[in-house]
Amino acid sequence: MPTNCFWRLRSPASTRKLAGWTDEVVTEKVFCSVDPSHRRGGKRLTDLNILLPRGAVQDFVWTWLSDCLMQEHVLDLFRREGFTGFSVKPVNSRFKEGVDEPPTLWELVRTGWGGLAKPECGIKRIRFCEACRSVRYSGIKDVSQLVDEDTWDGSDFFMVWPMPNYVFVTQRVANCIREHRLSGVILERSDEYKHNPGVIEGFSPGRLSYWMSESRAQELGAAARIAEI
């Protein structure tokens, strides 16, 4: 039986506050020598450049592509609390309209590791291309079996594969967010994950090295036997 309570951080249901990437954001272009339909964007090569919607900027800001950003006072709070399993990258931002100066924002980068989703949750790899490492996983059947505590490294912020853009956190982080009434984020228990209507069931996470350093991806991917390193 699980002994820890884990949470997922996600954006509020309304899309009104979502930020968009600008043309300055550059990603790899991946081409497949076997199947042209596998053409896709790869690893992001630049820091985030975003356009903020009008109005007050919340404590957490999310982009249309699910990047999680935080204001500097939130970063200071998390560092004071001694939370583990994350680092940050700078974000260049401006408002879509007006000349107001936006607050300093930082991109949340998970360095904590929760391993592979437990097999009991129902996620399985259903396609893998050796030529370009395009991969597809099936969806979740039992969310109560998602996080495997035996492979979780104990970090407060962590990633579960193949859900790299899902921000999983410990009860400590959830308590802090509630205590300080931080805005722009929804706390959802990891064992109560709800499928979003209109979203294709399943996951296409790209390569593990898209989400962390090459050396870290090689280390973790080899241990977890993840082919798409």
Side-chain angles (χ1 to χ4, degrees):
M1 293 293 291
T3 57
N4 290 280
C5 180
F6 300 113
W7 298 80
R8 174 196 169 197
L9 306 188
R10 66 173 180 83
S11 64
S14 172
T15 61
R16 188 170 55 89
K17 288 289 187 179
L18 292 180
W21 286 16
T22 71
D23 292 339
E24 287 97 345
V25 180
V26 179
T27 62
E28 289 180 336
K29 305 300 181 187
V30 180
F31 301 89
C32 182
S33 60
V34 174
D35 190 336
S37 70
H38 293 172
R39 178 178 177 177
R40 63 198 185 277
K43 187 171 186 174
R44 200 181 81 224
L45 303 176
T46 61
D47 291 332
L48 280 179
N49 284 264
I50 63 167
L51 289 175
L52 294 166
R54 287 188 304 175
V57 178
Q58 296 179 306
D59 297 316
F60 283 90
V61 176
W62 301 79
T63 73
W64 285 94
L65 294 177
S66 299
D67 307 295
C68 180
L69 320 178
M70 67 180 85
Q71 290 205 44
E72 191 155 35
H73 67 267
V74 179
L75 174 58
D76 291 341
L77 171 64
F78 287 175
R79 285 174 169 167
R80 288 198 305 273
E81 293 291 334
F83 293 145
T84 60
F86 79 98
S87 62
V88 292
K89 291 182 179 179
V91 177
N92 299 308
S93 63
R94 64 180 186 270
F95 288 106
K96 289 182 180 179
E97 302 174 7
V99 294
D100 292 339
E101 187 72 20
T104 299
L105 293 172
W106 296 92
E107 179 186 5
L108 175 68
V109 179
R110 269 87 24 76
T111 59
W113 181 240
L116 295 172
K118 291 177 67 175
E120 291 83 356
C121 80
I123 296 178
K124 297 179 180 179
R125 197 175 72 183
I126 55 179
R127 188 197 74 209
F128 177 66
C129 176
E130 291 283 356
C132 69
R133 298 190 177 273
S134 171
V135 65
R136 179 75 181 169
Y137 288 85
S138 64
I140 300 173
K141 294 182 178 179
D142 183 355
V143 296
S144 69
Q145 298 289 330
L146 179 59
V147 180
D148 187 348
E149 292 192 40
D150 291 336
T151 57
W152 169 55
D153 66 5
S155 297
D156 289 302
F157 290 82
F158 61 96
M159 176 192 303
V160 173
W161 196 258
M163 307 164 73
N165 60 345
Y166 283 53
V167 182
F168 292 103
V169 301
T170 58
Q171 186 69 57
R172 286 207 315 146
V173 178
N175 291 343
C176 178
I177 289 173
R178 288 199 183 100
E179 179 184 349
H180 293 272
R181 299 182 179 181
L182 300 181
S183 61
V185 66
I186 298 294
L187 285 165
E188 181 177 75
R189 279 180 57 122
S190 64
D191 57 359
E192 295 177 352
Y193 163 77
K194 295 179 178 60
H195 177 64
N196 295 324
V199 176
I200 297 174
E201 185 69 29
F203 306 96
S204 296
R207 297 175 63 179
L208 185 58
S209 55
Y210 292 174
W211 303 92
M212 59 186 67
S213 69
E214 189 75 33
S215 59
R216 176 77 165 157
Q218 290 290 338
E219 174 191 355
L220 295 174
R225 299 183 179 179
I226 298 172
E228 56 276 19
I229 300 172

